[in-house]
Amino acid sequence: MPFFTAGDSREPELAGIWGAVCGSFYTLLVTLILSFPIGVSAAVYLEEFAPQNRWTDIIEVNINNLAAVPSIVFGLLGLAVFLNFFGLPRSVPLVGGLVLTLMTLPTIIISGRSTLKAVPPSIREASLGIGASKVQMVIHHVLPQAMPGMLTGTIIGMAQALGETAPLLMIGMVAFIVDIPAGFTDPSTVLPVQIYLWADSPERAFMEKTSAAIMVLLFFLMVMNAAAIVLRKIFEKKW
């Protein structure tokens, strides 16, 4: 069936979503590789090591504000920085992943800090009481307890990134791409943008393709949210 195996086409009967699925996969892979370690590190630093002063208060306020910024603003930032300043190519998963990383980082940092606060203080006190340093206490005791919540927040952030269209439109991922992308620097599109292109097409035959692509996107979103719930149930510890 060409719908699941082919790329985009001007002919409705030949058009498929495989190119958009591959583009979404590479884009989300870049987002995950960058956002998870940076977000977890920032959450651990702000919650466990950062001194309570004016600068950390400013950083915390800005992180909370960034979580409420419209996604198209991140697209404008990616257009100005990654494309115009650094000269990276348009419509590639690498740039899309960088833009979505900026968008999902506040969500991951906020959820990570919430899970770190939920770790019982007795864990910290017992670890320090037997002679562990603060770094050893965080790495060996606090972080393993908080990791399920951090993974959940990361998956939810990735699900949000999967459904984003506006920031990717700003970096050129709205282009008509026929070829299947084979890497992070090949021109590609993503599922939400593909749905947008088909919905905007004047040919009536693309309406069925649009509906089917929406169902595929909803399926991926439900799978990712279900994975977040399952991970939390598996690794959650009762106190």
Side-chain angles (χ1 to χ4, degrees):
M1 187 175 181
F3 180 74
F4 293 105
T5 58
D8 198 6
S9 174
R10 299 292 185 190
E11 302 294 331
E13 62 273 8
L14 301 177
I17 61 166
W18 184 241
V21 169
C22 291
S24 294
F25 171 76
Y26 289 128
T27 302
L28 289 180
L29 188 59
V30 172
T31 305
L32 179 63
I33 291 172
L34 293 175
S35 63
F36 183 68
I38 296 175
V40 169
S41 302
V44 169
Y45 174 74
L46 289 173
E47 195 61 36
E48 302 291 339
F49 298 103
Q52 294 300 317
N53 55 31
R54 188 175 177 185
W55 294 110
T56 53
D57 291 340
I58 293 173
I59 291 172
E60 290 175 8
V61 169
N62 284 323
I63 289 174
N64 292 326
N65 288 338
L66 284 173
V69 168
S71 58
I72 195 169
V73 175
F74 293 101
L76 291 169
L77 179 63
L79 175 65
V81 176
F82 300 130
L83 298 185
N84 295 338
F85 185 76
F86 289 108
L88 296 176
R90 287 177 177 270
S91 189
V92 296
L94 176 61
V95 179
L98 291 171
V99 172
L100 294 181
T101 297
L102 296 176
M103 192 191 72
T104 56
L105 269 178
T107 303
I108 296 175
I109 293 173
I110 291 171
S111 65
R113 294 191 65 189
S114 298
T115 55
L116 287 170
K117 287 178 182 177
V119 176
S122 57
I123 298 291
R124 296 176 173 85
E125 294 166 1
S127 177
L128 296 173
I130 60 175
S133 66
K134 193 166 186 179
V135 174
Q136 290 173 327
M137 177 263 292
V138 170
I139 293 176
H140 296 292
H141 300 282
V142 176
L143 200 55
Q145 304 296 329
M147 191 54 68
M150 290 184 172
L151 288 174
T152 302
T154 301
I155 294 174
I156 292 173
M158 298 294 292
Q160 177 190 2
L162 176 63
E164 283 295 338
T165 306
L168 301 180
L169 296 180
M170 299 304 300
I171 61 168
M173 295 193 84
V174 71
F176 175 74
I177 306 294
V178 178
D179 298 327
I180 309 296
F184 299 102
T185 56
D186 291 341
S188 66
T189 187
V190 291
L191 269 174
V193 177
Q194 188 68 73
I195 293 170
Y196 167 77
L197 290 173
W198 284 347
D200 196 46
S201 177
E203 295 190 43
R204 186 171 177 80
F206 275 113
M207 290 183 61
E208 290 79 5
K209 299 282 185 178
T210 303
S211 302
I214 290 172
M215 294 174 64
V216 171
L217 179 61
L218 289 175
F219 172 77
F220 282 129
L221 291 174
M222 288 189 294
V223 167
M224 294 178 75
N225 283 280
I229 296 172
V230 170
L231 281 174
R232 177 176 287 277
K233 292 296 183 183
I234 290 176
F235 294 106
E236 193 174 37
K237 292 185 180 294
K238 303 293 184 182
W239 301 97

